[in-house]
Amino acid sequence: MAEKTCELFDCGHRACGGCGAALAARLVTKAAGKDSIFVSSTGCMEVFSTPYPETAWKVPWIHSLFENAAAVASGIEAALKKQGRKEKIVIMAGDGATFDIGMICISGAFERGHDFTYICYDNEAYMNTGIQRSGATPYDASTTTSPAGKCSFGNKRPKKDMPAILAAHGAPYVATTSIAYPADLLQKVEKAIATPGPSYVQVHAPCCTGWGFEGEQTIAIAKLAIETGLWVNYEMIDGKITKVKKVVRKPVEEYLKTQKRFRHLFKPIRQDAEIAAIQAIADKNAEKYGIDIKLNKKE
Amino acid sequence: MALAVGCRARPGKARDNKTGSWRVFKPIFDHEKCSKCGMCKTLCPEGCVHEDAEGLFNPDYSYCKGCGICAVECPKEAITMKLEEK
């Protein structure tokens, strides 16, 4: 049960002002409640929430290595099961730890079918170490390892479809959500925790420092990602999509021009072909998930 | 500094770290305009906005980093950011 009045991720953490991941942690701990054990891999959240001897967490929390959060959670789950205890295990890891480094352990843990909830806060690059690209970095985003310049428009590869990979492992519950819709986030995390077996929730959490925008715009930008179709909020039960957030789509340009990581698409000259390529990604998403609301045009 | 076994720390010990000192702009809450929707409290990444007995919201300035999310997201525009004189 969500304890919505209780703060289990406390003030005093060292995240940037306007941090999307910090908000994600607050909301996830609310949904998980106090009878839960959190496992965090290395990443920005681990660094800003627990610089020793401080900790922002008010629930039991264990830091694993970058790659083995899922393995540590598997061990905790097995030990609790043996003791007949009912605490819920929640993993909180970034997109780098999930999409790239932790892949082997995640695949193993999902295949073994441990009862835990894996939350990936997706800020689309390795923010903690200085904005390097990850498997979650979207097409054409400029990062320090995929810099935009004379020879490049930034990251050349599209974002990896992690929810589909985990659904293919037979995960009973897979969902994507965003900090821009807190009620949806709370509901999905609660549902993921209540589902027996390994479940996965991917939370879109904009990073003001890494993406290059003012901290006050975090929620507005998260909302724009959904409104342009570049991020889709959906729910998958036993591999089948059961719920999709529908929108009246805006052009992707409105999302791109708010962020410094896409600035090279507009300055010094506008790159129409690249913007069209990103629009095509949004159009493909819209078609795949059926997110478009058909408006009845008045004659 | 001696490390405790397993580098353990007291829950919520981060409260010792008063992040309010980071602030440049200070959110000022106008209770006259407030519709008590609680959006400021829900969306604060610090979790430092608290509800009082009358259902009105106030930030804890010891921790508020002045990010301005509450001011941008407030549907009644009841929160304004003012440059803080220190």
Side-chain angles (χ1 to χ4, degrees):
Chain A
M1 248 332 262
E3 291 161 51
K4 291 185 177 118
T5 51
C6 183
E7 291 292 340
L8 295 168
F9 188 79
D10 218 338
C11 303
H13 59 74
R14 291 162 190 251
C16 309
C19 176
L23 177 55
R26 255 194 76 220
L27 295 171
V28 169
T29 50
K30 263 181 203 289
K34 63 177 176 12
D35 289 333
S36 50
I37 295 173
F38 275 73
V39 180
S40 246
S41 62
T42 304
C44 210
M45 183 172 291
E46 174 255 327
V47 171
F48 75 64
S49 67
T50 60
Y52 188 78
E54 290 168 9
T55 176
W57 302 83
K58 287 162 91 177
V59 284
W61 177 93
I62 181 168
H63 171 221
S64 66
L65 301 174
F66 220 138
E67 65 275 25
N68 68 349
V72 169
S74 305
I76 296 173
E77 189 257 359
L80 292 182
K81 205 154 111 192
K82 181 78 184 158
Q83 294 173 42
R85 286 164 61 175
K86 302 279 178 219
E87 284 93 335
K88 298 294 177 189
I89 297 118
V90 184
I91 301 167
M92 197 77 197
D95 56 284
T98 307
F99 285 61
D100 305 343
I101 304 176
M103 200 64 210
I104 298 171
C105 289
I106 294 168
S107 182
F110 273 72
E111 176 266 317
R112 291 190 301 269
H114 290 283
D115 182 12
F116 62 58
T117 303
Y118 196 108
I119 314 277
C120 167
Y121 69 94
D122 183 2
N123 52 20
E124 306 188 327
Y126 290 86
M127 296 315 182
N128 162 44
T129 45
I131 319 151
Q132 287 84 15
R133 80 169 284 277
S134 76
T137 306
Y139 180 72
D140 267 0
S142 178
T143 68
T144 49
T145 48
S146 64
K150 275 181 192 158
C151 307
S152 167
F153 290 115
N155 183 40
K156 284 192 173 64
R157 301 292 305 151
K159 194 183 178 90
K160 193 192 271 186
D161 192 355
M162 196 66 186
I165 294 171
L166 293 177
H169 279 73
Y173 186 85
V174 172
T176 57
T177 182
S178 163
I179 56 162
Y181 297 90
D184 179 70
L185 193 156
L186 289 172
Q187 202 188 16
K188 281 176 177 163
V189 174
E190 270 176 51
K191 208 163 166 182
I193 290 172
T195 307
S199 35
Y200 177 72
V201 181
Q202 191 169 306
V203 183
H204 198 222
C207 167
C208 45
T209 311
W211 298 11
F213 59 83
E214 291 295 325
E216 62 187 23
Q217 295 298 326
T218 304
I219 309 293
I221 285 175
K223 231 174 231 170
L224 268 176
I226 289 174
E227 286 167 351
T228 52
L230 287 171
W231 180 272
V232 184
N233 271 359
Y234 61 86
E235 203 170 61
M236 259 175 167
I237 294 172
D238 294 324
K240 287 217 172 61
I241 294 175
T242 53
K243 203 172 103 183
V244 177
K245 163 96 183 146
K246 298 201 175 206
V247 289
V248 177
R249 269 198 302 142
K250 292 179 177 171
V252 290
E253 211 184 310
E254 286 186 35
Y255 174 67
L256 303 177
K257 69 186 176 195
T258 55
Q259 302 160 50
K260 214 167 155 184
R261 63 177 176 159
F262 294 116
R263 187 175 52 181
H264 56 283
L265 300 178
F266 301 95
K267 281 176 189 171
I269 46 161
R270 199 184 144 90
Q271 305 293 342
D272 283 314
E274 290 303 309
I275 295 168
I278 298 172
Q279 185 63 55
I281 296 173
D283 294 346
K284 210 171 135 193
N285 280 344
E287 198 188 340
K288 185 175 172 193
Y289 299 103
I291 58 171
D292 282 329
I293 294 174
K294 302 267 188 304
L295 290 175
N296 293 324
K297 276 180 191 159
K298 280 175 191 161
E299 285 167 22
Chain B
M1 185 176 66
L3 291 177
V5 176
C7 299
R8 66 181 192 270
R10 175 169 56 76
K13 195 179 184 297
R15 285 193 85 87
D16 294 356
N17 185 26
K18 301 274 190 274
T19 47
S21 62
W22 299 14
R23 196 171 53 239
V24 178
F25 291 93
K26 185 178 185 176
I28 310 291
F29 284 52
D30 182 353
H31 287 164
E32 297 282 303
K33 289 188 192 165
C34 178
S35 67
K36 303 184 182 178
C37 71
M39 219 50 194
C40 49
K41 186 183 178 204
T42 310
L43 294 177
C44 176
E46 309 310 312
C48 74
V49 179
H50 300 291
E51 194 175 344
D52 66 13
E54 289 163 45
L56 293 163
F57 295 90
N58 288 298
D60 183 343
Y61 291 118
S62 324
Y63 299 102
C64 170
K65 291 169 186 165
C67 68
I69 286 181
C70 52
V72 170
E73 298 302 323
C74 178
K76 292 283 171 188
E77 294 175 8
I79 307 169
T80 42
M81 302 302 289
K82 292 239 164 68
L83 186 66
E84 198 167 6
E85 309 265 331
K86 277 186 187 164

